[in-house]
Amino acid sequence: MSVLGTRLCVPDSLTARVPVEQRGPGLGRDAVRLLVSHGTEVAHHAFMELPALLRAGDLLVVNTSRTLPAAVDGRLGHARVVVHFSTRGEDGRWTVELRDPDGKGTTRARAGGPASSVVRLPGNVRLVYEEPMAPESPRLWWVRVSVDVPELLRRHGRPIRYPYTERDQPLSAHQTVFALPSADGAGSAEMPSAGRPFTAAMVAELVSRGVQFAPVTLHTGVASQEAHEPPYPELFEVPETSARLINAARAGGGRVVAVGTTAVRAVESATGADGVVRAASGRTDLVVTPERGVRVVDGLLTGLHEPQASHLLMLEAVAGRAAVERGYAEAVRHLYLWHEFGDVHLILREDSPH
């Protein structure tokens, strides 16, 4: 558990229940607040001020994964269930999480399996349970599906929705400006949400100020909302051009700022012990902790995570425990909004230049 788990209470009133653009007339995606932590120094900004907080030579690492409509209704025997598709395996199987509908448009946890169980999906599609993804994580199971899953999701899926949100949102509300289609239909079960506040206009302004972008891809699976499990192996790619951009930015004295924990995981998976980023792809099982540390990332732009979330260990790896504790206490005190439709936090290493 993160150090914040026993010290910080986030009131329900600080949950962002709808996207910011639905909270009032004339608001865009970039109308969220930006908490900036530089070591234990904290400052408060609007996200639209981000270009003024970065400088020429800085580089943003962004995740290009598209969000999938990964939730599909089904039946297990006579029971109604919701299947959350997570990650595709190399053998064509998928990992899934089975959930119970709660009658309010969202779901609650349900045990997966047992092996050979059959879930019936729309269009006479059969999903057959085979084995748990890992003995210590019975929440996720490997299954086989009788049709092409990306096409199934396109026809019958919807974005995964969690109980703290007010209503279903269209898939477009879960895509970032950086999202690119994948040739094989792969994508993320959940939105790489740190990139959500960016607009095309802001990207253009950042580029005009000399800030560079390095695209990477990490297809994130279904997070554990109840148990806060650490991340498991996920598909990623760091292209050669992005590796060169990151190395050049560091050599030139620029700061490398990852947009989202997924971007950190991808780029750190491609970074050697010598601190050099090299093109890489495949599945990464890297878990970034304070003990492991980070080798190339100078900062992280991310949403506000629950105090028990395993993601906070990554924040501590970037900036240290004291910085994370101070930043989160200030976020609560100044009524920042949590979760994927909420405000964002720019965390910079104490030894990175202002």
Side-chain angles (χ1 to χ4, degrees), residues 96-159:
V96 303
E97 180 186 31
L98 201 65
R99 308 276 296 185
D100 282 325
D102 63 2
K104 303 174 184 177
T106 55
T107 60
R108 54 179 173 262
R110 176 191 178 109
S116 301
S117 298
V118 177
V119 177
R120 291 171 292 153
L121 301 176
N124 296 317
V125 173
R126 286 168 51 89
L127 180 154
V128 181
Y129 272 75
E130 293 197 344
E131 59 185 337
M133 186 189 75
E136 66 275 11
S137 179
R139 179 178 65 92
L140 295 168
W141 280 66
W142 286 109
V143 303
R144 290 198 181 273
V145 186
S146 60
V147 296
D148 178 63
V149 170
E151 178 63 18
L152 170 73
L153 300 183
R154 189 184 70 80
R155 289 177 174 270
H156 301 290
R158 63 184 180 277

Side-chain angles (χ1 to χ4, degrees), residues 70-89:
V72 180
D73 292 324
R75 285 192 173 273
L76 178 61
H78 295 292
R80 292 177 57 239
V81 294
V82 178
V83 179
H84 287 176
F85 284 85
S86 187
T87 305
R88 178 163 52 189

Side-chain angles (χ1 to χ4, degrees), residues 202-227:
M202 175 174 282
V203 172
E205 182 180 355
L206 286 163
V207 170
S208 73
R209 288 172 174 254
V211 176
Q212 300 182 86
F213 288 82
V216 300
T217 302
L218 187 135
H219 297 312
T220 184
V222 176
S224 166
Q225 290 294 302
E226 290 84 15

Side-chain angles (χ1 to χ4, degrees), residues 30-87:
D30 54 3
V32 295
R33 299 168 70 192
L34 175 64
L35 179 72
V36 179
S37 295
H38 192 271
T40 55
E41 297 178 18
V42 176
H44 305 279
H45 297 271
F47 182 75
M48 287 180 279
E49 297 175 64
L50 180 65
L53 299 172
L54 300 176
R55 58 175 181 264
D58 287 344
L59 181 142
L60 295 175
V61 182
V62 297
N63 188 1
T64 64
S65 181
R66 286 181 63 83
T67 308
L68 299 174
V72 180
D73 292 324
R75 285 192 173 273
L76 178 61
H78 295 292
R80 292 177 57 239
V81 294
V82 178
V83 179
H84 287 176
F85 284 85
S86 187
T87 305

Side-chain angles (χ1 to χ4, degrees), residues 16-354:
R17 303 190 185 281
V18 296
V20 62
E21 60 270 27
Q22 296 177 18
R23 296 180 207 149
L27 296 178
R29 286 184 172 219
D30 54 3
V32 295
R33 299 168 70 192
L34 175 64
L35 179 72
V36 179
S37 295
H38 192 271
T40 55
E41 297 178 18
V42 176
H44 305 279
H45 297 271
F47 182 75
M48 287 180 279
E49 297 175 64
L50 180 65
L53 299 172
L54 300 176
R55 58 175 181 264
D58 287 344
L59 181 142
L60 295 175
V61 182
V62 297
N63 188 1
T64 64
S65 181
R66 286 181 63 83
T67 308
L68 299 174
V72 180
D73 292 324
R75 285 192 173 273
L76 178 61
H78 295 292
R80 292 177 57 239
V81 294
V82 178
V83 179
H84 287 176
F85 284 85
S86 187
T87 305
R88 178 163 52 189
E90 295 176 1
D91 58 1
R93 297 188 300 175
W94 281 73
T95 54
V96 303
E97 180 186 31
L98 201 65
R99 308 276 296 185
D100 282 325
D102 63 2
K104 303 174 184 177
T106 55
T107 60
R108 54 179 173 262
R110 176 191 178 109
S116 301
S117 298
V118 177
V119 177
R120 291 171 292 153
L121 301 176
N124 296 317
V125 173
R126 286 168 51 89
L127 180 154
V128 181
Y129 272 75
E130 293 197 344
E131 59 185 337
M133 186 189 75
E136 66 275 11
S137 179
R139 179 178 65 92
L140 295 168
W141 280 66
W142 286 109
V143 303
R144 290 198 181 273
V145 186
S146 60
V147 296
D148 178 63
V149 170
E151 178 63 18
L152 170 73
L153 300 183
R154 189 184 70 80
R155 289 177 174 270
H156 301 290
R158 63 184 180 277
I160 289 174
R161 178 186 160 201
Y162 289 112
Y164 52 75
T165 56
E166 187 174 291
R167 55 182 175 269
D168 287 344
Q169 297 291 338
L171 184 59
S172 59
H174 293 261
Q175 301 294 9
T176 74
V177 71
F178 306 113
L180 296 173
S182 173
D184 61 0
S188 290
E190 299 177 2
M191 173 177 51
S193 56
R196 190 182 190 278
F198 285 86
T199 63
M202 175 174 282
V203 172
E205 182 180 355
L206 286 163
V207 170
S208 73
R209 288 172 174 254
V211 176
Q212 300 182 86
F213 288 82
V216 300
T217 302
L218 187 135
H219 297 312
T220 184
V222 176
S224 166
Q225 290 294 302
E226 290 84 15
H228 304 292
E229 300 163 359
Y232 46 84
E234 293 170 320
L235 290 166
F236 84 105
E237 179 182 11
V238 176
E240 177 67 31
T241 52
S242 292
R244 290 179 180 176
L245 281 169
I246 296 166
N247 292 329
R250 298 191 74 214
R255 295 172 297 185
V256 175
V257 178
V259 178
T261 58
T262 59
V264 175
R265 196 180 193 201
V267 73
E268 290 287 328
S269 296
T271 305
D274 57 2
V276 176
V277 183
R278 297 173 177 87
S281 63
R283 292 180 187 273
T284 177
D285 59 1
L286 175 65
V287 179
V288 179
T289 64
E291 292 72 28
R292 189 268 186 190
V294 290
R295 296 171 177 171
V296 70
V297 172
D298 299 302
L300 170 60
L301 182 71
T302 182
L304 291 162
H305 304 284
E306 292 178 339
Q308 299 84 8
S310 61
H311 287 310
L312 290 180
L313 294 175
M314 182 183 291
L315 274 61
E316 292 176 16
V318 172
R321 178 172 295 182
V324 177
E325 286 186 326
R326 173 72 189 279
Y328 268 61
E330 286 291 292
V332 171
R333 191 156 69 92
H334 288 268
L335 306 181
Y336 279 73
L337 295 181
W338 255 249
H339 298 301
E340 65 265 33
F341 297 134
D343 297 315
V344 286
H345 189 187
L346 175 61
I347 303 169
L348 298 170
R349 298 166 65 101
E350 187 171 14
D351 57 0
S352 68
H354 282 77

